[in-house]
Amino acid sequence: MTGPRIGFFTRLLEDAPAADRYRFALEQIAQAERSGFASAWVAQHHFGETEGGLPSPFVLLAAAAERTSRIALATGVVTLPIDDPLRAAEDASVLDALSGGRVQLGVASGGTPSSFAPFGRDPQQRREIFAEHFAVFRDALAGRGIRGTDARIYPAAGDLDRRIWQATFSVEGGIRAGRDGDGLLLSRTQPRPGAQDLPLHEVQLPIIDAYRDALPEGAPFRVLASRTAVVVDEENRTRVLELAEPGLRELAEGMLGIDTSGLGIDDLARLTDSHIGTPDEVAASLAADRAIAASTDVSFQIHSVDAPHEMTLRSLELLATEVAPRLGYDVGDEAAESLRAVHRIHA
């Protein structure tokens, strides 16, 4: 591998009815595969269209499996404190069988706090619930008895328990993922109390280092850095910047707690770690991100830019054909195959 494998990440936020959102996502995943992306990641969010619009990622990915043949199909992420861990394991195993072993499983303890109560969960107990559910989830995937019984899931999940990735904002979370021998998922941005101007890679490199140090001997090193990136042809540059400004301003104020009064699009892009513009501009800004260089995978998402579907499709094409080659990112069939096999390769 010459550099990190490229992936596509979507939260399904187009201003459209649910059926169209899902159709757009499937078309985007198919475009990502044609362009040479190694993976496609879909987010899970409950209750409403403003967070992500997809409560059932395995259902959408099963539809994607019928339209693709090579690209990895991944959850980014399943919120295990809310989901029934046994049902999540069963759904993942069925999807893996349908897709020919292409599933990657991102999981997390977080999620929107308001989503917990309808499921009868206390968001303040999410870490404790996660630990309990994660143990059941892993036992089920590994073919062990579930909750002290002799029950085993069908179909058997094979080595799917070794294709788990844990998402985190913290060094402690990186250590936990490393100790478990799982992959590490890093966000496109994250809170930086008191240090909003600190580049994202300065926050995430210590997490990567802690994860690496915690990995058991022989466990594969797997780190995916998610990033916002929208690449356009020169004639669409002004338009994409206009589309980007409201979402980036909202992200800067909501997640980072920054007063954005008087800030222009360049400042907003820098503060939210967003890469927007022509292939030359996006390649230059991504090249400065040292966390990507330290990762095995990088996934690109369009959000929080309110880009229309056609612009998203073109952005995926430009990322794979114009940006990735300039930066040495891994694209194509070999990239997809290496991700499919990486959990079997010893460090």
Side-chain angles (χ1 to χ4, degrees):
M1 186 176 70
T2 56
R5 294 171 289 255
I6 67 168
F8 168 56
F9 181 100
T10 182
R11 288 178 62 206
L12 287 73
L13 287 174
E14 287 86 1
D15 184 13
D20 288 332
R21 286 186 177 196
Y22 301 151
R23 176 173 58 84
F24 291 158
L26 292 173
E27 291 176 4
Q28 290 161 13
I29 292 170
Q31 176 64 61
E33 176 167 278
R34 286 193 297 271
S35 298
F37 282 67
S39 59
W41 301 74
V42 296
Q44 178 190 43
H45 292 90
H46 298 278
F47 309 117
E49 71 278 4
T50 58
E51 284 292 327
L54 181 64
S56 304
F58 293 114
V59 175
L60 185 88
L61 291 175
E66 288 296 297
R67 292 161 172 80
T68 59
S69 61
R70 172 188 53 79
I71 195 168
L73 304 172
T75 58
V77 292
V78 173
T79 308
L80 276 183
I82 291 177
D83 272 23
D84 182 298
L86 177 54
R87 289 293 297 115
E90 289 179 324
D91 287 346
S93 186
V94 170
L95 175 61
D96 203 46
L98 287 171
S99 65
R102 290 188 281 143
V103 173
Q104 302 286 330
L105 289 171
V107 300
S109 63
T112 306
S114 61
S115 296
F116 280 65
F119 285 94
R121 306 295 184 188
D122 180 357
Q124 300 302 317
Q125 299 297 315
R126 64 185 183 277
R127 290 182 178 85
E128 294 83 355
I129 302 171
F130 176 79
E132 176 188 342
H133 283 197
F134 196 24
V136 173
F137 184 68
R138 194 185 293 277
D139 281 347
L141 292 174
R144 294 189 285 267
I146 301 160
R147 293 189 172 105
T149 72
D150 292 330
R152 305 290 194 276
I153 66 168
Y154 180 86
D159 61 7
L160 189 51
D161 65 308
R162 293 166 56 194
R163 287 177 263 153
I164 295 172
W165 304 65
Q166 296 187 40
T168 187
F169 282 152
S170 69
V171 166
E172 292 76 16
I175 293 171
R176 181 181 64 244
R179 286 175 177 167
D180 289 341
D182 294 330
L184 175 68
L185 295 179
L186 298 174
S187 178
R188 65 192 170 117
T189 190
Q190 63 185 77
R192 280 156 273 184
Q196 290 94 338
D197 285 334
L198 198 65
L200 183 60
H201 62 250
E202 296 287 356
V203 179
Q204 293 186 337
L205 283 170
I207 303 175
I208 295 174
D209 289 341
Y211 164 77
R212 187 194 302 270
D213 291 343
L215 277 172
E217 183 178 356
F221 177 78
R222 295 176 292 152
V223 177
L224 181 142
S226 183
R227 294 295 184 264
T228 295
V230 190
V231 190
V232 294
D233 299 296
E234 179 64 40
E235 60 267 27
N236 288 320
R237 184 179 184 276
T238 299
R239 183 184 181 208
V240 75
L241 294 177
E242 291 172 348
L243 290 170
E245 184 169 350
L248 298 189
R249 194 174 298 279
E250 181 180 354
L251 180 62
E253 293 176 352
M255 174 171 278
L256 303 177
I258 296 172
D259 180 2
T260 65
S261 302
L263 296 182
I265 185 61
D266 290 340
D267 288 328
L268 293 172
R270 176 180 57 82
L271 290 167
T272 60
D273 313 289
S274 302
H275 307 272
I276 302 167
T278 65
D280 286 342
E281 291 171 319
V282 172
S285 60
L286 287 171
D289 191 322
R290 293 190 290 122
I292 295 177
S295 300
T296 60
D297 297 82
V298 55
S299 68
F300 294 112
Q301 56 181 297
I302 306 303
H303 314 296
S304 295
V305 178
D306 188 18
H309 177 52
E310 293 302 323
M311 184 177 286
T312 298
L313 294 177
R314 179 59 174 158
S315 182
L316 291 171
E317 183 180 5
L318 290 171
L319 276 165
T321 61
E322 297 288 338
V323 175
R326 302 182 195 191
L327 299 173
Y329 294 167
D330 208 3
V331 182
D333 290 349
E334 291 185 3
E337 183 56 35
S338 71
L339 176 57
R340 185 167 177 164
V342 69
H343 63 283
R344 298 192 292 268
I345 299 172
H346 286 207

